[in-house]
Amino acid sequence: MTGLEGLLDGLNERQLGAVEAPETPLCIRAGAGTGKTRVLTRRIAHQADIGAIDPKRTLALTFTRKAADELRDRLARLGLRDSVSAGTFHSAAFAQLRTRWAERGVRPPDLIQDKRGLVARVAKQAGMQLANTEVQDAMTEIEWAKARRITSDDYPEAATSLRRWPALNHGAIADLYQRYEAEKTKRRVVDFDDLLILALRDLTDDADYAEARRWSYRHLFIDEFQDVNRLQFDLLRAWLGDLNDLCAVGDPNQAIYSWNGADSDYIARFTDWFPGAEVLDLVDNYRSTPQILAAGRAVLPAGAATLISHSLDGPRPTASTHVDDFDEAATIARALRDAKGPEMAWSSMAVLARTNAQTAKLATALDKAQIPCRVRIDSHRAVYGAEAVTPDGADAVDVATFHAAKGLEWPIVHLAGMEQGLVPISRAQTPAEVAEEQRLLYVAITRAERELHCHWAAERAFGDRIAARSPSPYLNAILSVP
């Protein structure tokens, strides 16, 4: 085990308080660039070092395999390589199920490898000829419903009340949802959401088994708690039982996944869900200049972001108006090339946009300018290069959607398409939807360490249609920072 003195080195006062706090449940609200993963892993190591937790009975969870790999790597460097279990909600649920199936002599079901293909097949069986976008839409809606524990029968009413407007009507989605579930049962296969559902069912149906499971994992640590959905939260509560030995880390200002089923209410009202819990705030930002943080603060409601920059002053954000989206992309490409020099790597720069469609045009412009780039589209990733595919790890400009940029950072960031209808997106109509668009823009802005450049086009092509555009209503707020 790493020595106690080494574990606490380099922590500021608030970070130290979060690492040493004896109380649970504990919620650590960690703003952008405040070192949340560092604090989470140091807290696990410190609590193990002083005997407050048993590392072999500790479970640390996050949401992506990449984040889980980073969590395991940091814990290993702190001397906890083979003791703390770290992974995603899905991997933890799958591990629980595999053990349970082995104990009961049950042949495990197969895990679906092609969910989209199965949705397309059940649609065809129902006589529905769907385009690829409609199949994708249906799959997204099924995933959203399962994340919120909404059945196929309840989907139409829930989707209507929560303003879900997929390409297919709600009745058709509900029918596909029911057929999809029935086909999985027939084929004896499960999808990733089923892993959580089955793990939860085992815990709620068998009290003795649930107690044994809680003994095995007594101490729970959750990263990115603002991204938890109802299914994950219900499973978390089942894992905890009456123990409430929980440390949750997250940032309400980076809650941007309600469209995918996440519910930021769990972090926003943490003390309601866990009475007597302590809530601590990390506000010291070590990533961005005061000007970048001021720009991020300007697009949120007053008082929502209170981060303090520990970086030197930098340039104020800029804004550029372009004739059309092609001129915008070409201008950004020239700016990237002008910024490139012996001391500046391509990978130190990023171009962020609100939609997947925008990233394709931007990547084409960079390719034409012979600028290597890597495109990140939400949770899926494609790569482009000037003459060949640019792999991860290569020196390349990142072109990403706002959502896909979360968790990343660059010295120079260009925001493309800063226009009404894109930022905020036109379908955001309710106060809750507009608030999420504000948080999404905040995430995009705070990816920048030193320079932020905003762009908008007077005309933009949407397929074969050319539309006149106006600047985003948030642009003036960004430019008004001192």
Side-chain angles (χ1 to χ4, degrees):
M1 179 65 63
T2 302
L4 178 60
E5 182 179 352
L7 284 175
L8 304 182
D9 284 351
L11 298 176
N12 64 42
E13 183 177 352
R14 287 178 180 268
Q15 291 173 333
L16 183 62
V19 167
E20 292 187 316
E23 297 84 359
T24 57
L26 173 65
C27 179
I28 303 171
R29 296 188 301 201
T34 59
K36 68 176 181 61
T37 306
R38 183 187 194 206
V39 167
L40 178 65
T41 51
R42 294 284 184 98
R43 177 174 174 82
I44 294 172
H46 171 70
Q47 296 294 306
D49 199 44
I50 64 174
I53 65 173
D54 179 351
K56 293 185 182 299
R57 298 174 63 193
T58 297
L59 179 62
L61 297 175
T62 186
F63 287 84
T64 67
R65 282 177 290 183
K66 180 179 179 181
D69 288 342
E70 180 183 358
L71 201 58
R72 282 189 290 267
D73 182 62
R74 291 198 185 206
L75 289 170
R77 294 202 299 268
L78 293 171
L80 296 168
R81 179 182 301 277
D82 300 316
S83 48
V84 173
S85 295
T88 65
F89 272 87
H90 292 93
S91 67
F94 200 15
Q96 173 188 316
L97 289 169
R98 287 196 302 268
T99 301
R100 180 74 161 161
W101 290 330
E103 291 172 347
R104 304 178 71 185
V106 173
R107 181 174 66 86
D110 293 325
L111 192 60
I112 290 177
Q113 301 300 317
D114 182 15
K115 185 189 295 187
R116 185 183 305 186
L118 186 56
V119 172
R121 280 192 290 275
V122 297
K124 187 175 182 180
Q125 291 168 5
M128 301 173 66
Q129 301 297 320
L130 302 184
N132 288 338
T133 54
E134 292 173 320
V135 172
Q136 178 65 45
D137 241 18
M139 188 177 75
T140 298
E141 289 303 292
I142 292 170
E143 291 174 341
W144 171 81
K146 295 179 75 169
R148 288 189 171 241
R149 304 194 71 184
I150 296 168
T151 66
S152 56
D153 288 340
D154 293 336
Y155 170 80
E157 181 180 354
T160 300
S161 66
L162 293 172
R163 292 176 41 81
R164 303 285 295 190
W165 308 119
L168 301 175
N169 65 58
H170 293 157
I173 295 289
D175 182 54
L176 283 174
Y177 183 3
Q178 187 277 326
R179 290 175 182 274
Y180 170 76
E181 294 297 312
E183 187 68 16
K184 285 196 289 109
T185 301
K186 176 183 175 182
R187 293 170 177 254
R188 206 170 183 278
V189 297
V190 295
D191 60 27
F192 280 104
D193 293 317
D194 292 329
L195 299 179
L196 306 184
I197 293 169
L198 293 172
L200 176 58
R201 185 191 67 183
D202 282 349
L203 295 169
T204 54
D205 287 355
D206 189 334
D208 291 337
Y209 170 71
E211 283 304 312
R213 175 60 173 69
R214 290 167 194 147
W215 185 92
S216 298
Y217 291 109
R218 174 71 172 78
H219 321 285
L220 272 66
F221 294 80
I222 314 294
D223 197 7
E224 302 287 6
F225 198 68
Q226 78 280 348
D227 295 337
V228 167
N229 62 43
R230 181 185 169 185
L231 177 56
Q232 292 163 336
F233 186 76
D234 288 350
L235 179 57
L236 172 62
R237 293 298 293 264
W239 278 333
L240 286 170
D242 296 329
L243 300 176
N244 284 345
D245 192 341
L246 169 68
C247 173
V249 182
D251 182 6
N253 289 328
Q254 296 188 71
I256 58 173
Y257 291 113
S258 68
W259 59 273
N260 205 28
D263 189 346
S264 60
D265 187 64
Y266 296 126
I267 191 169
R269 294 177 49 231
F270 191 84
T271 54
D272 292 337
W273 295 105
F274 300 99
E278 182 174 6
V279 178
L280 301 176
D281 292 299
L282 302 183
V283 299
D284 296 284
N285 176 286
Y286 297 94
R287 173 191 299 160
S288 304
T289 65
Q291 289 73 22
I292 299 297
L293 293 188
R297 190 161 49 244
V299 303
L300 292 178
T306 58
L307 297 183
I308 301 167
S309 175
H310 287 260
S311 299
L312 297 175
D313 275 344
R316 294 177 59 184
T318 68
S320 302
T321 305
H322 307 281
V323 175
D324 54 31
D325 48 339
F326 294 100
D327 177 51
E328 174 191 57
T331 302
I332 291 173
R334 287 195 297 273
L336 294 169
R337 184 166 291 285
D338 289 344
K340 178 71 173 72
E343 304 300 321
M344 178 65 68
W346 291 119
S347 57
S348 296
M349 299 180 281
V351 186
L352 310 183
R354 176 62 180 84
T355 68
N356 291 338
Q358 290 170 268
T359 63
K361 286 187 177 180
L362 291 164
T364 298
L366 267 60
D367 182 76
K368 185 176 180 180
Q370 296 188 320
I371 296 174
C373 70
R374 179 172 39 245
V375 178
R376 303 177 187 268
I377 303 177
D378 297 342
S379 60
H380 305 289
R381 185 179 300 171
V383 288
Y384 299 82
E387 298 177 357
V389 169
T390 305
D392 275 352
D395 185 21
V397 173
D398 281 301
V399 179
T401 61
F402 289 0
H403 282 101
K406 185 174 177 290
L408 303 173
E409 58 192 72
W410 301 269
I412 299 175
V413 169
H414 291 262
L415 302 184
M418 287 291 293
E419 301 152 16
Q420 178 73 49
L422 287 174
V423 184
I425 203 76
S426 57
R427 60 177 174 269
Q429 298 293 323
T430 68
E433 291 166 344
V434 172
E436 180 146 328
E437 287 295 300
Q438 291 175 302
R439 294 194 297 270
L440 182 57
L441 177 56
Y442 170 79
V443 167
I445 289 171
T446 55
R447 300 311 92 196
E449 296 173 1
R450 184 165 180 82
E451 293 184 27
L452 178 70
H453 304 287
C454 302
H455 304 264
W456 74 278
E459 290 186 345
R460 185 169 297 274
F462 295 91
D464 296 330
R465 181 174 62 89
I466 304 296
R469 311 294 289 167
S470 58
S472 166
Y474 304 126
L475 202 51
N476 282 338
I478 293 172
L479 297 178
S480 67
V481 304

